Amino acid sequence: MSPLQRVVVLCIAFLSTLLSLGAYTGDETLLESFDPDPELVYYVRMSNGDVLSGLSTQVKEDGKGNYIELTTINGRVKIYEENIAWIGLYVDSYRADSRGLLIPNAEPIGSDAYIGVTEAVMPTVGIGYTQYLNVVAGRTVIPGIGGQNQFSLVNIKSTLYEAENGLVEGGKQFYAVGFNASWLNDVNFIGHLYGVATFTGKRTRVSTLVHWKAAGKEVYTVSSGTLANSFQFPYINGTLGVGLMMDVRFPELHDVHVLAELWGADLTRPSQSGLFLGLRQTNNQLTYDFGFGLLPRGVLVPIVNFAWTPW
């Protein structure tokens, strides 16, 4: 087994362990401080994995214990506390809404913080401070290429405007700006300024992004250590690129999303674009993505992302 394969196997084992730790278990104290707003939609994850959403009554009690009644599209459902794994506002149920497979959208991380692994080899940390400052940072740990040849990134994003979009009931529009700093090896710095807009619907998010290469070299030589031969590519300062992203939740599966991204690094060279497709499985703490990316010259790469949002 190659060093890179060992890293992938370890990441999968780590992911599986956290998933098992995050298995659904009922909590008999969840409703003690639960004080629902009768006009807001709540999201209930059952201990058996089922998901319900709707308007909630105040907490009631009978001989079997505390319970709530949830008004769903299929009628009113009585839910006992011992059968609830998590309950909260519907808008807080999807905590990976600030990012796609590889690129950020305009929605803020908010007050959340997460740790994860991007592309199975890059440990990543994301921290939000309200909507005005979101920071994501990561660095690869690829065996066989040496510390100086690893890849690193820091992304700083600020959501400047949020409002109803007027297109879909309950839909919103977000606008954000940011700076992305990345290093392809320690000596190859690339700096991008970008702006991104996101429109949300009942099950869909659509984002458009424009980025501008603001800093760095104009010709890069990238080393992969003993894993592959070094290669060069030009990337001129001032290059303008675009991105398009869609996030669509399955209608009957609250926790499964289809994600698609089209990434063009240079508007004048459309042949250098990449297409990324994947599935996202998520709950209120754990998110994992699996998919594939089609890069220039027909190169197919896997996408394996994982994030844990305990805070």
Side-chain angles (χ1 to χ4, degrees), residues 22-146:
Y24 306 123
T25 55
D27 187 340
E28 297 186 2
T29 63
L30 276 175
L31 297 183
E32 287 184 0
S33 59
F34 183 62
D35 185 21
D37 185 321
E39 297 184 357
L40 297 179
V41 177
Y42 287 84
Y43 184 95
V44 180
R45 188 181 306 280
M46 308 292 288
S47 56
N48 64 1
D50 290 343
V51 170
L52 298 170
S53 61
L55 302 175
S56 176
T57 64
Q58 295 293 323
V59 179
K60 302 178 181 180
E61 183 178 5
D62 62 16
K64 294 181 61 177
N66 292 337
Y67 69 92
I68 58 169
E69 291 180 333
L70 201 70
T71 303
T72 71
I73 59 174
N74 296 318
R76 179 167 287 196
V77 181
K78 189 175 186 179
I79 308 173
Y80 283 94
E81 187 173 41
E82 62 181 8
N83 297 321
I84 298 175
W86 184 84
I87 185 170
L89 290 174
Y90 186 85
V91 295
D92 297 330
S93 62
Y94 183 32
R95 300 172 76 188
D97 55 1
S98 64
R99 60 192 183 274
L101 290 169
L102 296 176
I103 62 177
N105 63 22
E107 295 185 64
I109 298 176
S111 59
D112 287 341
Y114 68 87
I115 56 176
V117 179
T118 301
E119 283 292 36
V121 292
M122 178 182 280
T124 306
V125 176
I127 300 173
Y129 182 74
T130 69
Q131 68 182 33
Y132 298 108
L133 181 62
N134 298 173
V135 180
V136 176
R139 181 172 172 86
T140 61
V141 287
I142 304 173
I145 70 171

Side-chain angles (χ1 to χ4, degrees), residues 24-308:
Y24 306 123
T25 55
D27 187 340
E28 297 186 2
T29 63
L30 276 175
L31 297 183
E32 287 184 0
S33 59
F34 183 62
D35 185 21
D37 185 321
E39 297 184 357
L40 297 179
V41 177
Y42 287 84
Y43 184 95
V44 180
R45 188 181 306 280
M46 308 292 288
S47 56
N48 64 1
D50 290 343
V51 170
L52 298 170
S53 61
L55 302 175
S56 176
T57 64
Q58 295 293 323
V59 179
K60 302 178 181 180
E61 183 178 5
D62 62 16
K64 294 181 61 177
N66 292 337
Y67 69 92
I68 58 169
E69 291 180 333
L70 201 70
T71 303
T72 71
I73 59 174
N74 296 318
R76 179 167 287 196
V77 181
K78 189 175 186 179
I79 308 173
Y80 283 94
E81 187 173 41
E82 62 181 8
N83 297 321
I84 298 175
W86 184 84
I87 185 170
L89 290 174
Y90 186 85
V91 295
D92 297 330
S93 62
Y94 183 32
R95 300 172 76 188
D97 55 1
S98 64
R99 60 192 183 274
L101 290 169
L102 296 176
I103 62 177
N105 63 22
E107 295 185 64
I109 298 176
S111 59
D112 287 341
Y114 68 87
I115 56 176
V117 179
T118 301
E119 283 292 36
V121 292
M122 178 182 280
T124 306
V125 176
I127 300 173
Y129 182 74
T130 69
Q131 68 182 33
Y132 298 108
L133 181 62
N134 298 173
V135 180
V136 176
R139 181 172 172 86
T140 61
V141 287
I142 304 173
I145 70 171
Q148 73 278 11
N149 294 326
Q150 300 292 336
F151 304 93
S152 308
L153 70 85
V154 177
N155 187 77
I156 301 172
K157 181 182 73 174
S158 178
T159 301
L160 302 179
Y161 181 77
E162 172 186 345
E164 301 292 325
N165 61 34
L167 301 174
V168 180
E169 183 180 356
K172 291 188 175 183
Q173 55 182 322
F174 301 84
Y175 299 90
V177 295
F179 179 73
N180 182 280
S182 55
W183 290 262
L184 308 179
N185 309 150
D186 288 351
V187 297
N188 291 326
F189 170 75
I190 303 176
H192 286 104
L193 294 171
Y194 67 87
V196 56
T198 298
F199 287 76
T200 70
K202 293 185 180 298
R203 296 188 296 108
T204 304
R205 286 171 165 79
V206 177
S207 301
T208 57
L209 179 145
V210 177
H211 63 86
W212 178 67
K213 184 172 182 279
K217 302 177 181 180
E218 301 210 340
V219 178
Y220 292 88
T221 300
V222 181
S223 173
S224 301
T226 60
L227 294 182
N229 296 327
S230 299
F231 63 93
Q232 281 191 338
F233 68 93
Y235 197 13
I236 300 172
N237 288 336
T239 298
L240 193 66
V242 296
L244 175 65
M245 177 171 51
M246 291 189 66
D247 178 339
V248 181
R249 178 177 61 81
F250 279 95
E252 301 300 330
L253 301 173
H254 288 254
D255 295 341
V256 180
H257 297 240
V258 177
L259 281 78
E261 296 179 10
L262 179 64
W263 180 262
D266 186 348
L267 273 177
T268 65
R269 303 168 66 196
S271 62
Q272 299 302 305
S273 301
L275 176 65
F276 306 92
L277 297 171
L279 290 176
R280 168 170 288 170
Q281 173 75 42
T282 183
N283 59 34
N284 57 295
Q285 287 194 351
L286 301 172
T287 301
Y288 49 102
D289 305 329
F290 297 98
F292 293 93
L294 182 62
L295 302 180
R297 300 182 182 179
V299 177
L300 195 65
V301 296
I303 296 173
V304 181
N305 301 331
F306 167 74
W308 178 38

